[in-house]
Amino acid sequence: MDEKKLKQDYTRLAEKLAQRQVDAEAVKTKVMQLAIETPSWGYGDSGTRFKVFTQPGVARNAYEKIQDAAMVHKVTGIAPTVAIHIPWDWVDDFTALKQHAEKLGVKIGSINPNLFQDEDYKYGSVTHVDPIVRSKAVDHILECIQIAEVVNSKVLSLWLADGSDYPGQVHFRQRKQRLLESLQKVYKNLPQDMCLLVEYKLFEPAFYHTDLADWGITYIITKKLGERAKVLVDMGHHAQGTNVEWIVAMLIDEGKLGGFHFNNRKYADDDLTVGAINPYEIFLIFNELIDAESDPDVDLDVSYMLDQSHNTKLKIEATIQSVMFVQETYAKALTVDRKKLAKARAENDAVTAELALQEAFNTDVTPLLQMARIEKGLEPDPLVAYKNSGYFEKICEARGAGAGKGWE
Ligand code: PSV
Ligand code: MN
């Protein structure tokens, strides 16, 4: 690394940003304050419903997944928490798991109950016609709240696979009522300092209807539950062409945006690397978030999480790449000339308004990110740092090749 050249490049960039009335030093501080949670299930073997593929050195249990997450944090400096999925990450002693994480410099983040892999849930979980199945589902979520308390997590993150496959199969309104009733039981038991994030998904596994298919119904449910229930936006869970940044803005304005699952999709599902298909979309989302941050009427408390399972990329590398992409895009969105944008909007000048966004999106922020990392004692390029660390060789030797499904 030629540090002299890097400093020159950074100075040139800072001058450019000053013309947009953006303080490069402030951006440099902010990009290292970002916290992106990585998912435990992104470190275990995964696949499609046709085949689960194995990878060399892949994590075989919750302890190893946390070890990998800690490695991602070590090289990026901005991935301090790891989400866990119960029972995929079940251990007999969650205090020990918490201590293991902390020893490695990370913390356990959101707790994700699993209401989709039990035979009982074939026709639904919290929406099921049978009260015994609904009770079982609610009890599992309550169990996850207890785990959250043990590991000191403040976020319970819920996604339901509930839906139906054929027209006429279910009574929509009755299912909605049962869903609300079940989640009200959960909410009543939610500790005061914990929040409940509710995630929607257009379709899958059900093909005809999904009980929480979009932000509208999820907003309604979380609104009825109470202040600590909010909506989680998974980037891959929308129909093609949906304006996700607008949804984000609406949820912010209603005080109901709770978090993100970052990823991308080409056709359906949600497991492509964030920004792989539509990098401008996440820039536009950050643009809304940054705009709201400076609004005194908005109280933002948003969790940023990745939700990706890579089958053909090496998992740790793919996760580092994703964390870096989110950070880079956030940095670009921080370089928007907001005065110019506001003025152009006030004058109905669509060209200038759009250009204000595009000039930020097209800004090469690499020198700023590299300087920010160096100042924090990190290597300038986390992917290179990881490759040079010898960690992959070490886990290949210690763990062997292919551990089988990490999600069962
Ligand atoms: C469902 O597709 C989902 O996005 C939910 O967040 C789950 O918890 C996660 O993926 C499981 O892979
Ligand atoms: Mn998700």
Side-chain angles (χ1 to χ4, degrees):
M1 164 68 46
D2 182 344
E3 285 210 24
K4 196 170 154 216
K5 182 170 181 306
L6 176 60
K7 279 189 183 143
Q8 281 169 356
D9 291 348
Y10 173 71
T11 308
R12 220 168 295 133
L13 174 61
E15 281 163 11
K16 195 185 320 173
L17 297 191
Q19 287 165 17
R20 293 183 211 159
Q21 304 180 54
V22 172
D23 176 8
E25 286 295 307
V27 176
K28 193 146 58 69
T29 305
K30 285 199 150 191
V31 294
M32 294 312 293
Q33 284 168 346
L34 197 63
I36 302 161
E37 184 162 305
T38 68
S40 70
W41 54 98
Y43 299 109
D45 271 335
S46 60
T48 66
R49 64 198 162 94
F50 301 107
K51 165 95 179 108
V52 169
F53 298 100
T54 56
Q55 283 197 9
V58 79
R60 296 164 297 183
N61 52 48
Y63 281 85
E64 291 179 353
K65 290 175 195 169
I66 288 176
Q67 194 189 342
D68 292 352
M71 186 61 198
V72 173
H73 181 51
K74 193 174 169 197
V75 292
T76 61
I78 55 161
T81 58
V82 50
I84 60 170
H85 223 293
I86 306 296
W88 295 342
D89 295 315
W90 180 266
V91 289
D92 290 332
D93 184 351
F94 278 98
T95 305
L97 192 68
K98 172 183 182 264
Q99 285 164 353
H100 168 74
E102 287 171 359
K103 220 165 90 191
L104 294 170
V106 289
K107 289 196 164 126
I108 296 176
S110 63
I111 311 295
N112 294 251
N114 184 317
L115 298 170
F116 47 90
Q117 276 186 306
D118 208 294
E119 200 57 32
D120 283 338
Y121 300 142
K122 183 169 177 182
Y123 300 108
S125 63
V126 293
T127 60
H128 202 286
V129 278
D130 184 345
I132 296 175
V133 178
R134 294 205 298 279
S135 259
K136 174 178 164 162
V138 168
D139 285 349
H140 173 59
I141 308 173
L142 296 180
E143 178 188 33
C144 288
I145 291 180
Q146 281 172 8
I147 294 171
E149 287 191 294
V150 173
V151 301
N152 198 25
S153 163
K154 304 296 173 208
V155 181
L156 188 74
S157 189
L158 188 66
W159 170 70
L160 302 177
D162 294 42
S164 64
D165 290 329
Y166 307 98
Q169 187 182 340
V170 300
H171 191 295
F172 293 152
R173 285 188 299 112
Q174 283 171 7
R175 279 174 78 92
K176 174 194 166 233
Q177 290 155 16
R178 294 194 291 261
L179 191 154
L180 181 62
E181 199 179 279
S182 302
L183 293 192
Q184 274 165 342
K185 288 183 186 150
V186 169
Y187 193 79
K188 252 197 349 226
N189 287 284
L190 196 71
Q192 284 302 320
D193 61 350
M194 210 178 276
C195 68
L196 171 67
L197 303 186
V198 187
E199 178 177 355
Y200 57 88
K201 181 174 182 176
L202 179 65
F203 83 104
E204 198 205 47
F207 291 128
Y208 167 62
H209 112 277
T210 300
D211 290 286
L212 289 177
D214 65 16
W215 74 283
I217 180 63
T218 314
Y219 169 78
I220 290 169
I221 297 288
T222 54
K223 179 82 181 166
K224 286 184 188 230
L225 287 176
E227 252 186 32
R228 283 168 296 125
K230 293 191 175 167
V231 180
L232 187 147
V233 178
D234 182 311
M235 307 271 297
H237 289 185
H238 306 87
Q240 301 278 23
T242 301
N243 187 334
V244 183
E245 58 273 21
W246 176 80
I247 294 174
V248 168
M250 295 303 101
L251 288 172
I252 292 174
D253 209 49
E254 292 299 324
K256 279 293 178 197
L257 180 68
F260 288 95
H261 273 178
F262 289 134
N263 53 51
N264 217 172
R265 61 104 180 77
K266 175 71 177 164
Y267 301 106
D269 215 327
D270 50 14
D271 284 326
L272 298 190
T273 314
V274 53
I277 306 301
N278 188 355
Y280 197 39
E281 181 179 58
I282 169 164
F283 169 86
L284 294 173
I285 287 172
F286 271 124
N287 182 50
E288 294 302 326
L289 288 157
I290 292 162
D291 174 83
E293 264 173 19
S294 59
D295 184 338
D297 295 332
V298 175
D299 185 15
L300 266 191
D301 184 9
V302 181
S303 303
Y304 296 126
M305 302 172 257
L306 292 178
D307 181 7
Q308 304 172 171
S309 289
H310 297 279
N311 301 331
T312 48
K313 278 180 177 174
L314 287 173
K315 294 179 190 275
I316 300 174
E317 282 183 22
T319 309
I320 295 170
Q321 181 192 17
S322 306
V323 169
M324 288 173 69
F325 178 81
V326 174
Q327 187 185 34
E328 181 185 352
T329 310
Y330 174 59
K332 288 181 175 191
L334 284 167
T335 74
V336 170
D337 186 335
R338 297 208 168 261
K339 284 210 177 111
K340 181 172 166 180
L341 181 62
K343 184 168 176 283
R345 285 172 173 174
E347 291 168 358
N348 291 314
D349 180 353
V351 169
T352 306
E354 189 179 38
L355 284 174
L357 295 185
Q358 285 176 344
E359 80 184 345
F361 181 66
N362 292 326
T363 302
D364 179 5
V365 290
T366 313
L368 184 147
L369 292 169
Q370 295 195 339
M371 284 290 284
R373 292 184 190 119
I374 290 172
E375 285 171 15
K376 287 270 172 206
L378 300 168
E379 292 289 324
D381 185 331
L383 258 181
V384 172
Y386 171 70
K387 286 188 182 166
N388 291 339
S389 71
Y391 185 82
F392 181 60
E393 292 73 16
K394 207 175 84 190
I395 55 174
C396 284
E397 203 180 306
R399 300 174 185 170
K405 275 182 249 196
W407 39 273
E408 230 178 39

Short mmCIF file of all heavy atoms in Angstrom, two decimals, residues 41 85 88 112-114 116 157-160 199-201 203-205 232 234 237 261 263 269-271 307-309 407, ligand 1:
data_model
loop_
_atom_site.label_atom_id
_atom_site.label_comp_id
_atom_site.label_asym_id
_atom_site.label_seq_id
_atom_site.Cartn_x
_atom_site.Cartn_y
_atom_site.Cartn_z
N TRP A 41 -26.55 -18.26 9.75
CA TRP A 41 -26.88 -19.23 8.70
C TRP A 41 -26.11 -18.94 7.40
O TRP A 41 -26.11 -19.76 6.49
CB TRP A 41 -28.38 -19.31 8.46
CG TRP A 41 -29.09 -18.00 8.16
CD1 TRP A 41 -29.42 -17.50 6.93
CD2 TRP A 41 -29.59 -17.04 9.11
NE1 TRP A 41 -30.07 -16.29 7.06
CE2 TRP A 41 -30.19 -15.98 8.38
CE3 TRP A 41 -29.57 -16.96 10.50
CZ2 TRP A 41 -30.78 -14.88 9.02
CZ3 TRP A 41 -30.16 -15.84 11.11
CH2 TRP A 41 -30.75 -14.84 10.38
N HIS A 85 -30.35 -18.26 14.66
CA HIS A 85 -31.63 -18.84 14.27
C HIS A 85 -31.86 -20.04 15.17
O HIS A 85 -30.99 -20.91 15.27
CB HIS A 85 -31.53 -19.30 12.80
CG HIS A 85 -32.70 -18.96 11.97
ND1 HIS A 85 -33.93 -19.53 12.19
CD2 HIS A 85 -32.85 -18.12 10.91
CE1 HIS A 85 -34.79 -19.05 11.28
NE2 HIS A 85 -34.16 -18.18 10.50
N TRP A 88 -31.69 -23.86 14.68
CA TRP A 88 -30.46 -24.16 13.93
C TRP A 88 -29.22 -23.97 14.80
O TRP A 88 -28.24 -24.70 14.67
CB TRP A 88 -30.33 -23.25 12.70
CG TRP A 88 -31.41 -23.46 11.67
CD1 TRP A 88 -32.24 -24.52 11.53
CD2 TRP A 88 -31.75 -22.54 10.61
NE1 TRP A 88 -33.09 -24.33 10.46
CE2 TRP A 88 -32.81 -23.13 9.88
CE3 TRP A 88 -31.27 -21.28 10.22
CZ2 TRP A 88 -33.39 -22.50 8.78
CZ3 TRP A 88 -31.85 -20.67 9.12
CH2 TRP A 88 -32.89 -21.27 8.41
N ASN A 112 -33.70 -15.23 15.90
CA ASN A 112 -34.70 -15.56 14.87
C ASN A 112 -35.39 -16.88 15.18
O ASN A 112 -34.80 -17.95 15.03
CB ASN A 112 -34.02 -15.66 13.51
CG ASN A 112 -33.47 -14.34 13.03
OD1 ASN A 112 -33.99 -13.74 12.10
ND2 ASN A 112 -32.42 -13.85 13.66
N PRO A 113 -36.64 -16.83 15.61
CA PRO A 113 -37.38 -18.08 15.83
C PRO A 113 -37.62 -18.79 14.51
O PRO A 113 -37.71 -18.14 13.46
CB PRO A 113 -38.71 -17.61 16.43
CG PRO A 113 -38.52 -16.19 16.82
CD PRO A 113 -37.45 -15.65 15.95
N ASN A 114 -37.75 -20.09 14.57
CA ASN A 114 -37.98 -20.86 13.35
C ASN A 114 -39.34 -21.54 13.45
O ASN A 114 -39.54 -22.45 14.24
CB ASN A 114 -36.86 -21.89 13.20
CG ASN A 114 -36.95 -22.68 11.92
OD1 ASN A 114 -38.04 -23.10 11.52
ND2 ASN A 114 -35.83 -22.90 11.27
N PHE A 116 -40.99 -22.83 10.70
CA PHE A 116 -41.27 -23.35 9.36
C PHE A 116 -40.70 -24.72 9.05
O PHE A 116 -40.81 -25.19 7.93
CB PHE A 116 -40.82 -22.35 8.28
CG PHE A 116 -39.43 -21.78 8.47
CD1 PHE A 116 -38.33 -22.42 7.92
CD2 PHE A 116 -39.24 -20.61 9.17
CE1 PHE A 116 -37.04 -21.88 8.07
CE2 PHE A 116 -37.96 -20.07 9.34
CZ PHE A 116 -36.87 -20.70 8.79
N SER A 157 -36.41 -11.22 15.89
CA SER A 157 -36.69 -10.99 14.48
C SER A 157 -37.51 -12.15 13.92
O SER A 157 -37.05 -13.28 13.88
CB SER A 157 -35.35 -10.87 13.74
OG SER A 157 -35.55 -10.44 12.43
N LEU A 158 -38.72 -11.83 13.48
CA LEU A 158 -39.67 -12.89 13.15
C LEU A 158 -40.06 -12.90 11.68
O LEU A 158 -40.50 -11.89 11.13
CB LEU A 158 -40.94 -12.64 14.00
CG LEU A 158 -42.01 -13.72 13.99
CD1 LEU A 158 -41.48 -15.00 14.64
CD2 LEU A 158 -43.25 -13.23 14.72
N TRP A 159 -39.87 -14.04 11.06
CA TRP A 159 -40.39 -14.23 9.70
C TRP A 159 -41.29 -15.46 9.72
O TRP A 159 -40.93 -16.49 10.31
CB TRP A 159 -39.26 -14.46 8.67
CG TRP A 159 -39.82 -14.88 7.35
CD1 TRP A 159 -40.54 -14.12 6.48
CD2 TRP A 159 -39.72 -16.20 6.76
NE1 TRP A 159 -40.90 -14.87 5.39
CE2 TRP A 159 -40.41 -16.14 5.53
CE3 TRP A 159 -39.12 -17.39 7.15
CZ2 TRP A 159 -40.51 -17.25 4.69
CZ3 TRP A 159 -39.22 -18.50 6.31
CH2 TRP A 159 -39.90 -18.41 5.09
N LEU A 160 -42.46 -15.32 9.12
CA LEU A 160 -43.40 -16.44 9.08
C LEU A 160 -43.47 -17.02 7.68
O LEU A 160 -43.53 -16.28 6.70
CB LEU A 160 -44.82 -15.95 9.43
CG LEU A 160 -45.00 -15.27 10.78
CD1 LEU A 160 -46.44 -14.80 10.92
CD2 LEU A 160 -44.63 -16.21 11.91
N GLU A 199 -40.95 -9.48 9.65
CA GLU A 199 -40.47 -9.46 8.26
C GLU A 199 -41.56 -9.97 7.32
O GLU A 199 -42.27 -10.92 7.64
CB GLU A 199 -39.25 -10.39 8.20
CG GLU A 199 -38.61 -10.57 6.85
CD GLU A 199 -37.35 -11.45 6.94
OE1 GLU A 199 -36.95 -11.84 8.07
OE2 GLU A 199 -36.79 -11.77 5.88
N TYR A 200 -41.67 -9.35 6.16
CA TYR A 200 -42.65 -9.83 5.17
C TYR A 200 -41.92 -10.45 3.98
O TYR A 200 -40.74 -10.18 3.75
CB TYR A 200 -43.56 -8.69 4.71
CG TYR A 200 -42.85 -7.49 4.11
CD1 TYR A 200 -42.54 -7.44 2.74
CD2 TYR A 200 -42.46 -6.41 4.90
CE1 TYR A 200 -41.89 -6.34 2.19
CE2 TYR A 200 -41.81 -5.31 4.37
CZ TYR A 200 -41.53 -5.28 3.01
OH TYR A 200 -40.87 -4.21 2.46
N LYS A 201 -42.65 -11.26 3.24
CA LYS A 201 -42.07 -11.87 2.04
C LYS A 201 -43.20 -12.18 1.07
O LYS A 201 -44.20 -12.79 1.45
CB LYS A 201 -41.32 -13.15 2.43
CG LYS A 201 -40.65 -13.85 1.27
CD LYS A 201 -39.80 -15.02 1.78
CE LYS A 201 -39.07 -15.71 0.63
NZ LYS A 201 -38.18 -16.76 1.11
N PHE A 203 -43.74 -14.26 -1.51
CA PHE A 203 -44.20 -15.64 -1.63
C PHE A 203 -43.05 -16.56 -1.20
O PHE A 203 -41.98 -16.10 -0.86
CB PHE A 203 -44.63 -15.98 -3.07
CG PHE A 203 -43.48 -16.35 -3.98
CD1 PHE A 203 -43.27 -17.69 -4.31
CD2 PHE A 203 -42.61 -15.40 -4.46
CE1 PHE A 203 -42.20 -18.05 -5.14
CE2 PHE A 203 -41.56 -15.76 -5.29
CZ PHE A 203 -41.35 -17.08 -5.64
N GLU A 204 -43.33 -17.80 -1.18
CA GLU A 204 -42.39 -18.83 -0.78
C GLU A 204 -42.27 -18.94 0.73
O GLU A 204 -41.98 -17.95 1.39
CB GLU A 204 -40.98 -18.59 -1.37
CG GLU A 204 -40.14 -19.84 -1.33
CD GLU A 204 -38.65 -19.55 -1.31
OE1 GLU A 204 -38.22 -18.69 -0.53
OE2 GLU A 204 -37.95 -20.20 -2.06
N PRO A 205 -42.51 -20.12 1.30
CA PRO A 205 -42.74 -21.39 0.60
C PRO A 205 -44.13 -21.56 0.00
O PRO A 205 -44.32 -22.42 -0.85
CB PRO A 205 -42.49 -22.43 1.70
CG PRO A 205 -42.81 -21.73 2.96
CD PRO A 205 -42.42 -20.30 2.77
N LEU A 232 -39.56 -5.22 9.32
CA LEU A 232 -38.22 -5.51 8.79
C LEU A 232 -38.33 -5.66 7.27
O LEU A 232 -39.16 -6.42 6.77
CB LEU A 232 -37.67 -6.80 9.42
CG LEU A 232 -36.22 -7.13 9.06
CD1 LEU A 232 -35.55 -7.82 10.24
CD2 LEU A 232 -36.10 -8.01 7.84
N ASP A 234 -36.71 -7.00 4.05
CA ASP A 234 -35.71 -7.86 3.41
C ASP A 234 -35.73 -7.47 1.93
O ASP A 234 -36.77 -7.54 1.26
CB ASP A 234 -36.08 -9.34 3.62
CG ASP A 234 -35.05 -10.29 3.03
OD1 ASP A 234 -34.68 -10.10 1.86
OD2 ASP A 234 -34.66 -11.24 3.72
N HIS A 237 -37.52 -9.53 -0.86
CA HIS A 237 -38.87 -10.04 -0.64
C HIS A 237 -39.97 -9.22 -1.30
O HIS A 237 -41.06 -9.07 -0.76
CB HIS A 237 -39.14 -10.12 0.87
CG HIS A 237 -38.37 -11.21 1.54
ND1 HIS A 237 -38.52 -11.55 2.86
CD2 HIS A 237 -37.43 -12.07 1.06
CE1 HIS A 237 -37.71 -12.55 3.18
NE2 HIS A 237 -37.03 -12.87 2.10
N HIS A 261 -32.88 -6.69 6.05
CA HIS A 261 -32.09 -7.84 5.66
C HIS A 261 -31.53 -7.49 4.29
O HIS A 261 -32.27 -7.44 3.30
CB HIS A 261 -32.97 -9.11 5.57
CG HIS A 261 -33.10 -9.81 6.89
ND1 HIS A 261 -33.86 -10.93 7.06
CD2 HIS A 261 -32.51 -9.54 8.10
CE1 HIS A 261 -33.76 -11.33 8.32
NE2 HIS A 261 -32.96 -10.51 8.96
N ASN A 263 -29.62 -8.06 0.92
CA ASN A 263 -29.29 -9.10 -0.06
C ASN A 263 -29.78 -8.57 -1.41
O ASN A 263 -30.15 -7.40 -1.50
CB ASN A 263 -29.96 -10.45 0.29
CG ASN A 263 -31.46 -10.31 0.50
OD1 ASN A 263 -32.16 -9.76 -0.34
ND2 ASN A 263 -31.95 -10.78 1.64
N ASP A 269 -36.56 -15.01 -4.53
CA ASP A 269 -35.73 -15.32 -3.38
C ASP A 269 -34.68 -14.22 -3.15
O ASP A 269 -34.67 -13.20 -3.82
CB ASP A 269 -35.07 -16.70 -3.49
CG ASP A 269 -34.97 -17.32 -2.08
OD1 ASP A 269 -34.77 -16.56 -1.11
OD2 ASP A 269 -35.09 -18.53 -1.97
N ASP A 270 -33.83 -14.46 -2.19
CA ASP A 270 -33.14 -13.32 -1.59
C ASP A 270 -31.68 -13.57 -1.27
O ASP A 270 -31.13 -12.95 -0.40
CB ASP A 270 -33.88 -12.96 -0.29
CG ASP A 270 -34.11 -14.19 0.60
OD1 ASP A 270 -33.48 -15.23 0.33
OD2 ASP A 270 -34.89 -14.11 1.53
N ASP A 271 -31.06 -14.50 -1.93
CA ASP A 271 -29.73 -14.88 -1.47
C ASP A 271 -28.55 -14.38 -2.29
O ASP A 271 -27.42 -14.76 -2.04
CB ASP A 271 -29.65 -16.41 -1.31
CG ASP A 271 -30.38 -16.86 -0.04
OD1 ASP A 271 -30.35 -16.09 0.94
OD2 ASP A 271 -30.99 -17.93 -0.06
N ASP A 307 -28.82 -10.94 5.11
CA ASP A 307 -29.51 -12.23 5.10
C ASP A 307 -29.20 -12.88 3.75
O ASP A 307 -29.92 -12.67 2.78
CB ASP A 307 -31.02 -12.05 5.31
CG ASP A 307 -31.73 -13.40 5.33
OD1 ASP A 307 -31.05 -14.44 5.32
OD2 ASP A 307 -32.98 -13.41 5.36
N GLN A 308 -28.13 -13.60 3.71
CA GLN A 308 -27.68 -14.24 2.47
C GLN A 308 -27.10 -15.60 2.81
O GLN A 308 -26.44 -15.76 3.82
CB GLN A 308 -26.57 -13.41 1.81
CG GLN A 308 -26.91 -11.97 1.53
CD GLN A 308 -25.73 -11.13 1.06
OE1 GLN A 308 -25.89 -10.00 0.65
NE2 GLN A 308 -24.53 -11.66 1.16
N SER A 309 -27.36 -16.57 1.93
CA SER A 309 -26.70 -17.87 2.07
C SER A 309 -26.04 -18.17 0.73
O SER A 309 -26.74 -18.31 -0.27
CB SER A 309 -27.72 -18.97 2.37
OG SER A 309 -28.22 -18.82 3.66
N TRP A 407 -28.69 -25.78 8.24
CA TRP A 407 -29.99 -25.22 8.57
C TRP A 407 -31.01 -26.28 8.94
O TRP A 407 -32.18 -26.16 8.66
CB TRP A 407 -30.50 -24.35 7.42
CG TRP A 407 -30.20 -24.91 6.06
CD1 TRP A 407 -29.08 -24.73 5.34
CD2 TRP A 407 -31.05 -25.75 5.26
NE1 TRP A 407 -29.15 -25.38 4.15
CE2 TRP A 407 -30.37 -26.01 4.07
CE3 TRP A 407 -32.33 -26.27 5.44
CZ2 TRP A 407 -30.90 -26.80 3.06
CZ3 TRP A 407 -32.86 -27.06 4.44
CH2 TRP A 407 -32.14 -27.31 3.26
C1 PSV B 1 -36.87 -16.04 4.65
O1 PSV B 1 -36.62 -16.19 3.30
C2 PSV B 1 -35.75 -15.29 5.32
O2 PSV B 1 -35.50 -14.09 4.63
C3 PSV B 1 -36.01 -15.03 6.78
O3 PSV B 1 -35.34 -13.88 7.19
C4 PSV B 1 -35.43 -16.21 7.42
O4 PSV B 1 -35.19 -16.07 8.77
C5 PSV B 1 -34.18 -16.41 6.60
O5 PSV B 1 -34.56 -16.05 5.29
C6 PSV B 1 -33.71 -17.83 6.67
O6 PSV B 1 -32.77 -18.12 5.69
#
